[in-house]
Amino acid sequence: MESASQDINLNSPNKGLLSEAMTDVPVDSVASARTPVPEGLTLAEEEELRSELAKVEEEIGTLRQVLAAKERHCGELKRKLGLTPLDGLKQNLSKSWHDVQVSNAYVKTSEKLGEWNDKVTQSDLYLSASSTLEDWNEKLTQSEAYKKTQETLSQAGQKTSAALSNVGSVISRKLGDMRNSATFKSFEDRVGTIKSRMVGSRENSTDGLQSPSGAGDNPPHDNAPF
């Protein structure tokens, strides 16, 4: 402990020995101590891989910058063409759906569903159920209740059509009787009289606005002295 304290003391004659000993430690040994070389790799191979990794990361950064510039240019072109984000969304959805349809998973799923459909439609249970439903349908359409209901609906439709036809004929007949009545004819005569009076008064007012005959034929004489 005393020797250590003496070396650390600034007034000690051995004060530069510690710093010189620390500066003599190589940097490579410190780095190798922090990041040990993976098994199966030499120092030269590690340095080569690190150099290649740095180049790849630099290329990734460059590609990201190029991609951002291309996206901005694409946005400007779409804006000039009047394409809205909704159009782009529709196009992306259409392309995505097309990609799904041509994908192996979609094709295999469609084939499986087709096989299941064939198996179901050709199974004895499905055929039996179909024949049972057809029998029920035939029995229903041939039953007395079904026939009576169909006849009732047909008669109701015929009665409705006849009633509407009768209403139309009644309205037409009423309008004809109204027009042939004395009241309607008297009203029509009054309207004609008022119309003829209005036309006559308009013609009289037009004649009054015209200038007297001969007024424009004789121009005024100039009585000014020569």
Side-chain angles (χ1 to χ4, degrees):
M1 295 292 291
E2 292 179 356
S3 60
S5 63
Q6 289 177 0
D7 292 337
I8 296 174
N9 189 2
L10 295 176
N11 296 324
S12 174
N14 299 324
K15 62 182 180 180
L17 297 177
L18 182 61
S19 60
E20 291 175 0
M22 293 179 65
T23 55
D24 293 337
V25 178
V27 178
D28 293 338
S29 63
V30 176
S32 62
R34 292 180 179 176
T35 57
V37 180
E39 296 181 359
L41 291 178
T42 62
L43 290 175
E45 291 175 348
E46 183 186 6
E47 290 297 330
E48 184 179 358
L49 292 176
R50 290 184 182 277
S51 177
E52 185 177 358
L53 176 62
K55 290 181 181 179
V56 172
E57 290 178 347
E58 184 179 358
E59 290 176 355
I60 291 174
T62 304
L63 291 175
R64 286 177 179 173
Q65 294 177 359
V66 172
L67 179 61
K70 292 292 184 181
E71 288 179 349
R72 289 194 297 270
H73 185 57
C74 180
E76 292 177 358
L77 293 177
K78 288 182 178 180
R79 180 177 56 81
K80 291 179 180 179
L81 291 173
L83 298 176
T84 61
L86 182 59
D87 296 331
L89 179 61
K90 291 180 179 179
Q91 185 177 1
N92 293 334
L93 290 176
S94 178
K95 185 177 181 300
S96 300
W97 176 241
H98 180 266
D99 294 340
V100 169
Q101 287 180 333
V102 298
S103 63
N104 293 329
Y106 182 85
V107 173
K108 290 181 179 179
T109 303
S110 299
E111 292 177 354
K112 288 293 182 182
L113 290 175
E115 292 176 359
W116 291 347
N117 186 28
D118 293 338
K119 290 180 180 179
V120 169
T121 53
Q122 293 177 3
S123 62
D124 295 335
L125 180 61
Y126 180 84
L127 295 175
S128 177
S130 298
S131 61
T132 303
L133 290 175
E134 290 178 358
D135 292 340
W136 289 350
N137 185 26
E138 187 177 357
K139 290 179 181 179
L140 178 63
T141 54
Q142 292 179 359
S143 63
E144 295 296 332
Y146 180 84
K147 292 180 179 180
K148 289 181 179 180
T149 304
Q150 192 174 9
E151 291 176 358
T152 303
L153 292 175
S154 178
Q155 292 176 1
Q158 293 176 359
K159 290 180 180 180
T160 303
S161 300
L164 292 175
S165 178
N166 292 331
V167 169
S169 60
V170 169
I171 292 174
S172 300
R173 187 171 62 255
K174 290 292 184 181
L175 290 176
D177 295 340
M178 183 185 299
R179 188 161 186 175
N180 294 326
S181 62
T183 304
F184 186 84
K185 288 183 178 180
S186 176
F187 176 75
E188 193 174 20
D189 293 338
R190 291 180 182 178
V191 172
T193 303
I194 294 172
K195 183 178 179 181
S196 60
R197 289 179 180 177
M198 291 178 64
V199 172
S201 61
R202 185 180 298 175
E203 291 177 354
N204 293 331
S205 61
T206 305
D207 295 337
L209 291 175
Q210 295 179 355
S211 59
S213 59
D217 296 333
N218 298 323
H221 296 282
D222 189 2
N223 298 324
F226 289 96

